[in-house]
Amino acid sequence: MVLDRNQAARWVFGSALAIFAYRYFTHSLVHQLQQPLLSKSDFDYAYWFYHFIHFPEVFVKNRMGAIFFDGALLVSTIACFINMGRNREVVLLCALSWSFYGLTYNSYSYYHSHALIGIMVLPYAFLAKEEDNFKLAWDGFRYFCLYIYADAFFLKVLAGPPVFSFPAGLEIILQGCMLVGFFTRRWDRVLFFLPILLLSMTYFFDDAFYFELLILNLTLLPFKEKNPF
Amino acid sequence: MQRFFDRLYLVRCFRQHKFLFFVSVLFVLAVLYGHKTTCEITPSVVIAVDRGIRPGEKDSLFLITINDSIHLRLSHTFDEPRRKMIYSTLTAYHRGVLAGYEDPQVRAIGVVVGRHPYMHLLSLYSHNTRADYTKYLPWLLRYLQEAVDKKIEKIAIALQYIHYDDRNLPVADSTHSLYVFQQTDVR
């Protein structure tokens, strides 16, 4: 499959709608949290800022605010899906809503999961006006995707389980293979499938659900116009 | 060499879009800070390494009994968001209770702010209050009613101590009752 900007928008915001539905059925949308109390900020300044601006008081701990927030999240995502992310104001609303949703869920579930990080950042690419700037931003998110797996690879090689074990060893090797993407795009079609395999393995062997992170895989698909490399 | 230099992402950003260059540099700095201090700044993630379960290792887990009859069982995988809302917050609550209804994060955050006093203002609301802990059990019941079953009127929470056998399966050693909360307690 070869993407252009419109198709990329359809896939990103379509995936966002799928994540919204998954979150609805697992009772984790903001209005379903029943005005939660205990939050985890850790030493993450983004979460400190989130609480500092009193976002939870307005949109999390207030039932009407929470319903309004989830409504804005859904409507802006549907609008971006329909108009393929061409209205920058709506894209900004959608991107901010997903960022704040991620901060809210991670904060009040008392667990800073990385599963939502893709949807928290990827919609910002569609804020670019010019096609060239969009491609540059999209390219940046491609490196972000590669970074996540490469970082896990290095930390696990240094401190994790032995590489010659199953399934942990194979997971580490799959993460290490993503390093190839920093040097060439020729293998992107292969790299596209590695996180799918990796996250399926973590699902079946480690009891961990990280499939929402796969939204970043879209950045590994080639673009229609000729690539500079 | 020049061609290689021209290909670098930061170089292309610098030439084409200064704001994106600024954001990318910020991201790189946040990643470096995160790796140096192990404190990540979202979205500059620092992946934590889970060393996994080892045979014979001891652990503990919470058991929730609903209406004196059913043990709450949620899937480890598909139900992850709902599970985290219940069990992760329960772990935090129990730690807070053991600390005398104080947020254990307060002291650690105080140490960080001591080193970086300019962060004091930002840190003001980054921890839980005593009232958050005292209202937790009514919230948990409300959430269970919303997320699991509306008919839930009473919850009993116990801590089960376990060890892992040779196949890494949990084996119960002992169970200690911790908290009981029922609907009438709110009225």
Side-chain angles (χ1 to χ4, degrees):
Chain A
M1 184 167 59
V2 183
L3 290 181
D4 60 20
R5 178 172 173 160
N6 290 345
Q7 285 169 326
R10 280 275 156 88
W11 275 99
V12 168
F13 296 110
S15 306
L17 287 172
I19 291 173
F20 188 93
Y22 169 67
R23 292 270 154 181
Y24 172 77
F25 288 112
T26 51
H27 300 270
S28 47
L29 292 176
V30 178
H31 80 277
Q32 294 174 309
L33 301 183
Q34 300 294 312
Q35 299 86 56
L37 296 158
L38 299 183
S39 65
K40 181 182 184 180
S41 301
D42 243 343
F43 304 107
D44 189 329
Y45 299 144
Y47 288 85
W48 289 17
F49 178 73
Y50 165 80
H51 288 284
F52 177 73
I53 61 171
H54 293 281
F55 182 88
E57 274 71 24
V58 183
F59 293 110
V60 182
K61 296 188 176 186
N62 177 313
R63 180 146 181 82
M64 289 313 293
I67 292 170
F68 177 79
F69 177 82
D70 283 338
L73 184 67
L74 179 62
V75 170
S76 62
T77 309
I78 291 174
C80 288
F81 179 76
I82 293 169
N83 69 23
M84 293 176 283
R86 292 292 175 179
N87 185 325
R88 294 177 77 214
E89 287 76 19
V90 181
V91 169
L92 181 62
L93 176 66
C94 179
L96 285 174
S97 298
W98 277 107
S99 296
F100 276 106
Y101 172 74
L103 292 172
T104 300
Y105 176 74
N106 283 351
S107 194
Y108 286 97
S109 66
Y110 219 88
Y111 183 79
H112 291 187
S113 165
H114 294 136
L116 281 169
I117 202 74
I119 188 59
M120 284 172 75
V121 296
L122 200 51
Y124 288 102
F126 296 92
L127 283 174
K129 253 187 203 170
E130 315 291 334
E131 204 69 15
D132 285 349
N133 290 339
F134 170 75
K135 279 184 190 160
L136 193 66
W138 191 254
D139 209 15
F141 286 119
R142 177 182 169 276
Y143 285 115
F144 180 65
C145 173
L146 295 170
Y147 158 75
I148 288 175
Y149 297 104
D151 189 44
F153 167 74
F154 283 119
L155 291 176
K156 283 180 183 175
V157 163
L158 290 174
V163 179
F164 301 105
S165 62
F166 184 83
L170 182 56
E171 287 170 11
I172 295 171
I173 290 166
L174 288 175
Q175 286 164 337
C177 288
M178 299 300 283
L179 282 168
V180 173
F182 284 103
F183 305 100
T184 177
R185 289 167 192 278
R186 280 184 206 149
W187 293 90
D188 275 11
R189 281 172 199 270
V190 177
L191 297 186
F192 177 82
F193 291 100
L194 296 189
I196 298 172
L197 179 61
L198 175 72
L199 300 184
S200 300
M201 284 181 69
T202 57
Y203 180 88
F204 289 111
F205 296 118
D206 304 335
D207 283 344
F209 188 95
Y210 278 98
F211 286 113
E212 290 156 309
L213 191 58
L214 287 179
I215 196 169
L216 284 174
N217 264 33
L218 294 170
T219 59
L220 293 167
L221 291 171
F223 253 78
K224 250 178 195 168
E225 282 173 333
K226 198 185 168 191
N227 231 306
F229 309 114
Chain B
M1 191 65 190
Q2 183 64 38
R3 199 160 163 249
F4 171 77
F5 187 72
D6 291 344
R7 279 179 175 189
L8 294 175
Y9 184 70
L10 284 179
V11 174
R12 283 190 286 142
C13 278
F14 184 76
R15 287 176 183 162
Q16 194 177 320
H17 201 291
K18 294 285 188 291
F19 180 72
L20 197 54
F21 171 77
F22 174 71
V23 171
S24 304
V25 169
L26 265 186
F27 177 82
V28 172
L29 291 175
V31 163
L32 294 174
Y33 172 82
H35 282 84
K36 185 173 180 287
T37 61
T38 69
C39 304
E40 68 179 15
I41 304 173
T42 303
S44 311
V45 296
V46 177
I47 308 294
V49 178
D50 183 2
R51 64 186 179 83
I53 297 165
R54 290 167 191 187
E57 197 169 89
K58 290 187 185 298
D59 203 352
S60 61
L61 46 91
F62 286 100
L63 288 182
I64 300 177
T65 309
I66 294 165
N67 295 343
D68 289 326
S69 54
I70 312 157
H71 286 305
L72 178 66
R73 290 188 196 284
L74 297 172
S75 156
H76 262 289
T77 44
F78 183 79
D79 253 336
E80 197 78 353
R82 182 162 50 163
R83 267 184 63 80
K84 285 277 187 300
M85 281 308 296
I86 297 167
Y87 290 102
S88 215
T89 58
L90 191 52
T91 306
Y93 171 71
H94 185 56
R95 281 185 193 150
V97 170
L98 292 178
Y101 292 89
E102 293 290 335
D103 189 342
Q105 294 179 113
V106 172
R107 186 177 292 181
I109 288 172
V111 172
V112 173
V113 173
R115 281 188 211 140
H116 310 287
Y118 50 89
M119 298 304 288
H120 173 71
L121 195 63
L122 201 59
S123 74
L124 282 179
Y125 307 98
S126 59
H127 55 267
N128 299 300
T129 63
R130 191 179 189 83
D132 292 331
Y133 286 101
T134 54
K135 292 176 191 166
Y136 174 78
L137 288 177
W139 171 81
L140 182 62
L141 181 63
R142 246 188 3 254
Y143 183 71
L144 286 168
Q145 286 171 336
E146 152 72 26
V148 180
D149 190 347
K150 287 199 174 4
K151 291 175 190 157
I152 299 175
E153 289 184 343
K154 184 181 178 185
I155 48 172
I157 297 154
L159 190 62
Q160 188 167 64
Y161 292 95
I162 58 159
H163 71 270
Y164 293 98
D165 67 11
D166 295 341
R167 292 183 300 154
N168 280 351
L169 294 174
V171 179
D173 295 325
S174 61
T175 306
H176 299 271
S177 181
L178 290 177
Y179 314 105
V180 177
F181 186 79
Q182 56 187 6
Q183 189 86 55
T184 48
D185 294 350
V186 204
R187 287 170 192 156

